[in-house]
Amino acid sequence: MVLPSWTNDLNEKILGFLSKLEVRLQPGRYLPCVSGVTYQGKNVSLGFSCFALKIYYMLGHWDKLENEEQKKWISYIKSFQNHHVKNNYDPIKKYAFIDTFLIDYLESFRRKISKRKLLNKIFSISNDDEFLTNSQKAIIAETKQAIASLAEIGEFSDIPYCQFPNSEKKIVEYMEKFDWSKPWASGGQTSALTVFMELEGKRKIPTKEIISLQNATSSFFESIVDSDTGGYFSGDIPNHGMLVNGAMKVLTALDWLNVPIHFPEKLIDTTLSMLPKSDGCHLVDAVYVLHRCCQRTNYKRDTIKDYFISVLDMIRLHHNKDGGFSYNISSAQKSYYGLPISKGYNESDIHGTVLLTWALSMIFQFNNSGSDWKIIKP
């Protein structure tokens, strides 16, 4: 595969874009975009700091930073870990990484929704609640993001985050509560368990107990794998995007569990059956699934090469003159966990840039292009 010319000099272009997002005098703090950033986008920061760190790592630029700058950035991310545990009514928050601005927004929004649910209950309007609130889901996801980002550079949380089920039975019960007919969300939440067990639990919980929990998690994923598509779900086969994105989340978990993909060739066929939707998540998820499956088998490598050529053409449409990538074509990402972070102008954003840089790093490796870009472990 001959890489297109637009992929030349991407290091300098991407780093140039990131430099525009840096918040002065606050090492490690980044904005989501330049021109259309909202008030909320200026105040939320943990996730964007992790995204920027991952970009620096993938481009091989982290090691080129001054040691003092690295320390300040690491300290900035670690400053979000919640040490105020005595008055926490929600155990999920204990030693979690919490962006207060984001979580306060989600919790205030939930209080407004709760009034509506009370009226629904009074008038017997059926509406089954999910067992995790949006703020809890965000805390779990952001904590996983922070822990995995720190691990890329050999760092760990100050205090191990061990707020996950502590027995095989509880692990299975927890995983069964998710709606596996929608594996994208369910896979994302449950894959966090594997990061917490491997990077956090092993620092506090006896190894034998952790292995038992990991085995239970692995067995659950095996119980929902579909031998026809290679995907992980329950009920009817989801649409292509849901199926591939859900598989991507489970494959990240299997990687942390050191468990082989169950049906890599079937999953390759499923992914290749359709090009992904042209947004940051769909593009990188399809590439990741093929990347991981190719580590297990040489099946259809020529077809995968052609698929990646098409994906490169799609990614190019997200690359902008400012040097970065936009999550959507000609539009920066507008929300982050429901928080309005930008006005969606025609400009790059940090989330689109981290996702599509990651996608490119995997394509470059597949192509043996000699790139020194690194691949992250999410």
Side-chain angles (χ1 to χ4, degrees):
M1 182 197 318
V2 178
L3 295 176
S5 60
W6 68 266
T7 61
N8 297 334
D9 304 320
L10 277 177
N11 288 52
E12 293 77 9
K13 294 174 182 176
I14 293 171
L15 291 171
F17 169 65
L18 277 186
S19 69
K20 301 171 188 175
L21 302 181
E22 291 182 48
V23 178
R24 292 186 62 189
L25 305 179
Q26 295 188 57
R29 183 163 189 166
Y30 287 78
L31 298 175
C33 58
V34 178
S35 300
V37 61
T38 62
Y39 168 79
Q40 293 89 342
K42 290 178 180 178
N43 282 278
V44 69
S45 53
L46 171 58
F48 305 148
S49 182
C50 293
F51 294 160
L53 187 151
K54 286 182 174 181
I55 294 169
Y56 268 74
Y57 173 81
M58 286 189 285
L59 299 183
H61 200 72
W62 172 260
D63 293 333
K64 298 178 183 178
L65 295 177
E66 295 290 336
N67 186 253
E68 189 61 27
E69 187 174 356
Q70 290 180 345
K71 287 181 178 179
K72 289 180 179 179
W73 197 337
I74 292 166
S75 295
Y76 181 71
I77 292 177
K78 288 186 176 182
S79 71
F80 287 89
Q81 188 168 26
N82 178 31
H83 296 273
H84 306 290
V85 298
K86 289 185 179 180
N87 298 321
N88 281 342
Y89 62 90
D90 186 352
I92 286 177
K93 292 182 177 181
K94 184 177 181 180
Y95 302 131
F97 284 74
I98 296 178
D99 192 321
T100 303
F101 188 90
L102 171 64
I103 302 308
D104 284 351
Y105 171 86
L106 293 176
E107 290 182 343
S108 65
F109 187 76
R110 179 173 180 256
R111 285 192 287 271
K112 296 176 184 177
I113 296 297
S114 294
K115 294 179 182 178
R116 186 187 311 154
K117 288 184 176 179
L118 177 60
L119 290 174
N120 288 345
K121 186 175 182 180
I122 292 172
F123 292 105
S124 301
I125 300 173
S126 177
N127 185 16
D128 293 334
D129 292 338
E130 295 186 16
F131 77 102
L132 290 177
T133 66
N134 286 336
S135 61
Q136 289 174 323
K137 291 175 184 176
I139 289 169
I140 291 169
E142 290 245 291
T143 299
K144 175 197 171 187
Q145 181 82 252
I147 290 169
S149 298
L150 290 171
E152 294 286 8
I153 55 171
E155 290 287 332
F156 296 90
S157 61
D158 290 334
I159 301 175
Y161 180 75
C162 296
Q163 298 307 106
F164 49 83
N166 59 6
S167 72
E168 293 182 41
K169 180 181 178 183
K170 290 179 180 179
I171 283 285
V172 174
E173 289 174 346
Y174 177 81
M175 297 180 76
E176 285 178 340
K177 287 182 179 179
F178 290 95
D179 181 0
W180 284 97
S181 68
K182 301 173 182 176
W184 188 0
S186 300
Q189 287 292 311
T190 54
S191 66
L193 290 173
T194 63
V195 176
F196 299 153
M197 291 174 192
E198 182 66 23
L199 296 178
E200 303 292 285
K202 284 187 174 181
R203 297 161 55 206
K204 184 176 181 180
I205 300 170
T207 301
K208 184 177 179 180
E209 293 180 25
I210 287 294
I211 292 175
S212 174
L213 298 177
Q214 290 175 321
N215 288 340
T217 306
S218 174
S219 294
F220 179 85
F221 286 133
E222 186 175 7
S223 74
I224 61 168
V225 67
D226 176 53
S227 59
D228 291 328
T229 64
Y232 299 83
F233 59 89
S234 64
D236 295 335
I237 298 175
N239 66 56
H240 184 264
M242 178 66 71
L243 181 59
V244 173
N245 292 356
M248 179 271 182
K249 297 298 186 182
V250 174
L251 263 55
T252 66
L254 297 181
D255 195 18
W256 285 107
L257 293 168
N258 197 27
V259 171
I261 300 168
H262 297 90
F263 299 102
E265 295 185 355
K266 291 291 187 180
L267 197 46
I268 287 173
D269 283 334
T270 295
T271 306
L272 293 178
S273 68
M274 188 183 300
L275 284 170
K277 179 182 175 183
S278 200
D279 67 37
C281 283
H282 283 79
L283 285 164
V284 76
D285 287 0
V287 173
Y288 179 85
V289 169
L290 293 173
H291 160 74
R292 290 274 284 111
C293 289
C294 284
Q295 294 176 330
R296 289 285 321 280
T297 177
N298 289 320
Y299 181 68
K300 288 192 174 180
R301 289 189 71 87
D302 287 341
T303 309
I304 293 171
K305 179 185 71 174
D306 293 338
Y307 189 90
F308 280 165
I309 290 172
S310 297
V311 169
L312 283 171
D313 289 339
M314 296 174 73
I315 292 176
R316 182 183 184 181
L317 298 177
H318 294 255
H319 191 221
N320 301 298
K321 292 180 180 179
D322 56 25
F325 296 89
S326 53
Y327 185 87
N328 302 295
I329 296 174
S330 303
S331 173
Q333 186 179 34
K334 296 176 70 174
S335 67
Y336 182 72
Y337 295 110
L339 183 76
I341 57 171
S342 93
K343 298 176 182 178
Y345 291 167
N346 185 2
E347 61 177 332
S348 298
D349 60 84
I350 198 166
H351 195 195
T353 301
V354 69
L355 293 177
L356 297 180
T357 299
W358 182 20
L360 288 170
S361 71
M362 292 183 282
I363 293 174
F364 292 166
Q365 186 185 86
F366 175 87
N367 194 49
N368 295 317
S369 59
S371 170
D372 58 358
W373 284 18
K374 300 175 183 178
I375 297 175
I376 56 174
K377 186 174 182 178

